[in-house]
Amino acid sequence: MTDRQPCNPSASGSAGELLRLLSGLPEKKDRRVVLGQYITRNSHNSNPYDPAQAWERYYQDVYRQSGEYPGLAGFDFSGRSVDGAGADSGPSDSNWREYAEYHHEQGGLLRFMWHASNPWTLETSWSQIPQGGGLEQLITPGSEAYDRWNGWLGRLADQLETYAKKDIPIIWGPLHEMNGRWFWWGTGATDQFREVWRHMYRYFTETRGLHNLLWMFCPDAKASCERAVEQYPGGSCVDIIAPDLYYVSADSGASPALYDEFSDPKYGKILGWGEIGVNTEERIDNRKFIEEIRSRFPLVTTYMQWGDVFSAGTIKTFALPSNDYMTELMRDDWMLPRGELAKLKNK
């Protein structure tokens, strides 16, 4: 098995074991891709489900329909929806922590993310840095944005510490799709983005001692590859590179630009798809993604299908149970649903 070490030299034993497991998957003949499903934000999803309902729909329904659970479950600390609903802008896991811990206890992997609200304006992630603002203000004392951002980081660290104390390794993918310009953190200078990432890394690992995290860098596959390279914070604070990949239609292919760039041995990182889906209102064949990985992107070790999105009377069916051939996907010999993943972890 590939002897790849975490970027954090003080990483916990469980984090190191998880990284080594993922590192070895491309060398296997079968059972080599961890199948993931995004479950929920803390509240106010882009669908009508509260966290308990989302757990039933995106986790339990997968089992009821296929006899298998997702190998990876995704959760988001945000309490804000794309339309701005939700009074509290700060990060929280209060409405889904029990589900995340249960999934871990059953042998699954956890991927946490955070659609952070705008620390200048308190708008949602889908906003801009206001005129006169800049990402450097988040790491330079003396502004309200600095105080708010670092207060949020403190709240996040308090919650992540709960998992660290239970020795639960977390795949942590903050500030995703940074090479696009739809989230506020993607609208700033690329060098400043790198410093904001590094500041978070130092605070979590060095100041707060959170050594259970594997750090995942998630640019967007349809946005600029050049910008993603410029924003890459460096191998000393990244473990996994996992672009978000959304196909235009069920018949379209994926751009290989980010895969080709970050699969270069000079990066030396595990590869995955952070989020994946097809931007259509029609049901699709769930097997599309593993077939593309098998034929075009064989170094991808994990992917996470997104939850369904309800907007303006339309529904985009991204989730496993909302599309076709889920059982066949779960039984594909390259797949690692929760049961197969638990077997691999226990070898």
Side-chain angles (χ1 to χ4, degrees):
M1 184 174 291
T2 303
D3 186 20
R4 185 172 280 138
Q5 300 299 315
C7 65
N8 175 9
S10 300
S12 66
S14 60
E17 289 172 8
L18 174 53
L19 188 76
R20 286 187 287 275
L21 183 151
L22 295 173
S23 297
L25 293 182
E27 302 170 4
K28 294 170 56 63
K29 293 182 178 179
D30 57 15
R31 305 301 181 194
R32 50 184 285 167
V33 179
V34 180
L35 175 66
Q37 173 63 57
Y38 171 77
I39 307 298
T40 188
R41 296 190 182 108
N42 196 57
S43 60
H44 303 294
N45 282 298
S46 51
N47 54 59
Y49 309 129
D50 63 28
Q53 293 168 330
W55 177 252
E56 287 297 312
R57 177 59 181 158
Y58 299 137
Y59 193 80
Q60 300 295 357
D61 274 0
V62 172
Y63 177 78
R64 284 189 278 262
Q65 293 180 31
S66 71
E68 297 280 2
Y69 289 100
L72 177 146
F75 297 91
D76 193 315
F77 285 94
S78 174
R80 300 291 291 272
S81 71
V82 70
D83 64 2
D88 185 1
S89 303
S92 177
D93 67 345
S94 62
N95 288 337
W96 50 255
R97 182 184 294 177
E98 64 179 297
Y99 305 128
E101 292 184 348
Y102 173 82
H103 179 68
H104 164 75
E105 290 165 0
Q106 301 304 309
L109 306 186
L110 294 172
R111 185 265 173 97
F112 289 175
M113 55 195 305
W114 178 33
H115 281 80
S117 296
N118 190 313
W120 288 272
T121 66
L122 294 181
E123 295 175 285
T124 71
S125 304
W126 294 266
S127 59
Q128 304 287 306
I129 297 173
Q131 186 173 5
L135 288 174
E136 78 281 358
Q137 292 177 345
L138 302 185
I139 56 177
T140 305
S143 70
E144 186 177 9
Y146 172 88
D147 293 341
R148 184 174 290 124
W149 179 248
N150 286 274
W152 288 345
L153 292 185
R155 289 177 60 176
L156 263 177
D158 290 344
Q159 292 163 73
L160 290 168
E161 190 175 42
T162 300
Y163 302 91
K165 288 180 177 179
K166 296 181 179 180
D167 197 27
I168 299 175
I170 303 297
I171 298 173
W172 171 235
L175 304 172
H176 64 299
E177 299 178 8
M178 71 296 295
N179 57 327
R181 297 180 186 273
W182 42 89
F183 295 138
W184 60 261
W185 55 84
T187 64
T190 56
D191 61 331
Q192 293 173 13
F193 175 87
R194 296 194 302 268
E195 292 308 313
V196 168
W197 178 289
R198 293 166 184 165
H199 171 266
M200 181 189 294
Y201 174 84
R202 291 192 298 269
Y203 175 68
F204 280 179
T205 60
E206 298 172 12
T207 303
R208 297 299 302 267
L210 296 173
H211 302 310
N212 61 321
L213 306 180
L214 295 181
W215 290 73
M216 185 161 72
F217 178 72
C218 302
D220 186 83
K222 64 179 177 291
S224 167
C225 180
E226 180 180 3
R227 186 169 173 82
V229 171
E230 292 175 356
Q231 292 167 311
Y232 182 63
S236 62
C237 50
V238 172
D239 293 296
I240 303 167
I241 300 174
D244 289 355
L245 173 61
Y246 285 93
Y247 293 80
V248 175
S249 70
D251 298 325
S252 65
S255 168
L258 285 176
Y259 177 88
D260 290 347
E261 171 64 33
F262 289 114
S263 61
D264 189 307
K266 70 183 180 183
Y267 291 98
K269 299 300 178 180
I270 295 167
L271 296 180
W273 297 137
E275 300 173 19
I276 201 166
V278 176
N279 275 315
T280 177
E281 296 168 25
E282 300 178 357
R283 294 173 69 93
I284 59 118
D285 186 336
N286 277 307
R287 299 172 296 182
K288 174 183 179 68
F289 308 126
I290 191 60
E291 289 169 358
E292 288 250 309
I293 290 171
R294 187 163 20 230
S295 62
R296 303 178 64 198
F297 308 111
L299 295 179
V300 167
T301 59
T302 184
Y303 69 85
M304 184 179 74
Q305 288 188 219
W306 198 245
D308 298 336
V309 173
F310 291 62
S311 177
T314 65
I315 305 174
K316 289 185 178 179
T317 53
F318 295 124
L320 282 163
S322 302
N323 290 296
D324 298 327
Y325 299 106
M326 182 174 62
T327 298
E328 289 81 358
L329 172 68
M330 291 289 194
R331 295 175 181 172
D332 188 288
D333 62 6
W334 269 38
M335 291 275 70
L336 276 166
R338 194 187 77 187
E340 294 296 333
L341 180 62
K343 293 177 187 177
L344 182 62
K345 290 169 68 177
N346 290 330
K347 280 187 176 180

